[in-house]
Amino acid sequence: MNQPFVLFILGALVALSGCSKDPGGYHREEYKVVKFEDVPPDLKIPTKAWEALSFQAAPDAHGAESEKADTSNKEIVFSDVTVFLVDKNPGILKEEAIKFELPRGGGEIDLSQYLNDRQGSFYVGFEFPAFTEATQSKVLFVSRARKRRLGDIIYGAGCNQILDITNKYNLAMKGEGLKVNTTRERHISVLGGTFLFSAEKAGTIYVAQVSFVDPTHKNLFCEAP
């Protein structure tokens, strides 16, 4: 596991986790709504990630797992998830604030369609309604971005690395969200991959996924799993 990257992405979430009456960040009154109608493409989820999402095992940021639980009698349901991209610096996004309404189960967002060719920062936020009143919840990030060094910092977790970001994610989404920067495509190294969500309520497990891609920078991504 790429420890520096784990600390980087979790540190970014912690830094943005302050909760206030007006958290700012990705929270806005108005958004340009983009509604996806198409069913998301099939997604290959690593076995360890699926075990965590179905609460059979819980890998932490270092890859450790807990004892497996029996989930054979639990129904799996694809659930709603909403994504927000919001400018921190003016003109980074083609619209100041964008709200993506994805189909049940989630979908794939091509970042190149929504970003201008400028350097600066923007916020990323998520809403997964199934978390409300859930008895168990999980958020994982499966990296599809290559490692690369920019100055003294290594960006990207590496191919198919699985990070459990549940606690830091929950705190961050009450604040500004996740802030990423487009300078030298740093945002791709942080977002390139798939966010996986699951929540258990009354014996049913609700799941969704959001993948970020950018076909104009294929060299920064891993080969398809």
Side-chain angles (χ1 to χ4, degrees):
M1 177 63 65
N2 182 354
Q3 184 66 14
F5 180 77
V6 173
L7 295 175
F8 173 78
I9 191 169
L10 297 187
L13 289 167
V14 170
L16 298 170
S17 62
C19 184
S20 65
K21 184 176 180 180
D22 182 17
Y26 80 93
H27 302 273
R28 299 293 172 90
E29 293 184 0
E30 297 183 359
Y31 301 88
K32 167 69 175 181
V33 177
V34 177
K35 188 174 181 64
F36 286 26
E37 300 290 351
D38 295 336
V39 176
D42 291 338
L43 180 69
K44 295 181 180 179
I45 299 176
T47 300
K48 288 184 179 181
W50 178 248
E51 289 176 349
L53 293 174
S54 56
F55 305 104
Q56 298 177 53
D60 61 20
H62 306 287
E65 295 183 8
S66 65
E67 184 178 352
K68 293 184 179 180
D70 182 12
T71 61
S72 58
N73 295 324
K74 296 178 182 179
E75 181 182 10
I76 306 296
V77 175
F78 292 122
S79 190
D80 295 322
V81 61
T82 303
V83 182
F84 305 87
L85 302 183
V86 175
D87 271 343
K88 181 182 191 306
N89 302 124
I92 301 303
L93 299 167
K94 293 181 179 179
E95 300 285 347
E96 180 181 350
I98 309 171
K99 177 180 179 180
F100 297 89
E101 296 181 351
L102 302 178
R104 290 186 180 274
E108 182 178 276
I109 296 174
D110 178 355
L111 293 169
S112 67
Q113 295 186 21
Y114 305 99
L115 287 168
N116 289 315
D117 187 18
R118 296 186 181 182
Q119 297 182 356
S121 299
F122 65 96
Y123 297 103
V124 183
F126 303 88
E127 285 186 359
F128 186 58
F131 281 157
T132 303
E133 299 181 353
T135 54
Q136 297 189 85
S137 62
K138 184 70 65 177
V139 183
L140 304 180
F141 178 69
V142 181
S143 172
R144 309 290 188 196
R146 299 179 185 276
K147 294 181 183 179
R148 59 187 179 122
R149 180 180 293 276
L150 297 176
D152 295 329
I153 300 176
I154 295 177
Y155 289 82
C159 300
N160 301 316
Q161 295 298 312
I162 304 170
L163 308 179
D164 185 338
I165 60 171
T166 306
N167 294 333
K168 306 306 181 185
Y169 165 92
N170 289 335
L171 290 172
M173 293 308 135
K174 295 177 182 178
E176 294 181 332
L178 177 62
K179 183 177 71 173
V180 293
N181 190 279
T182 63
T183 304
R184 298 184 65 182
E185 289 74 46
R186 286 175 170 85
H187 66 291
I188 293 178
S189 295
V190 176
L191 298 176
T194 301
F195 289 81
L196 300 167
F197 306 85
S198 70
E200 182 178 357
K201 292 190 285 188
T204 298
I205 297 175
Y206 300 85
V207 297
Q209 59 88 14
V210 176
S211 294
F212 291 102
V213 300
D214 187 335
T216 66
H217 294 286
K218 291 183 179 180
N219 61 305
L220 300 180
F221 287 85
C222 308
E223 299 294 333

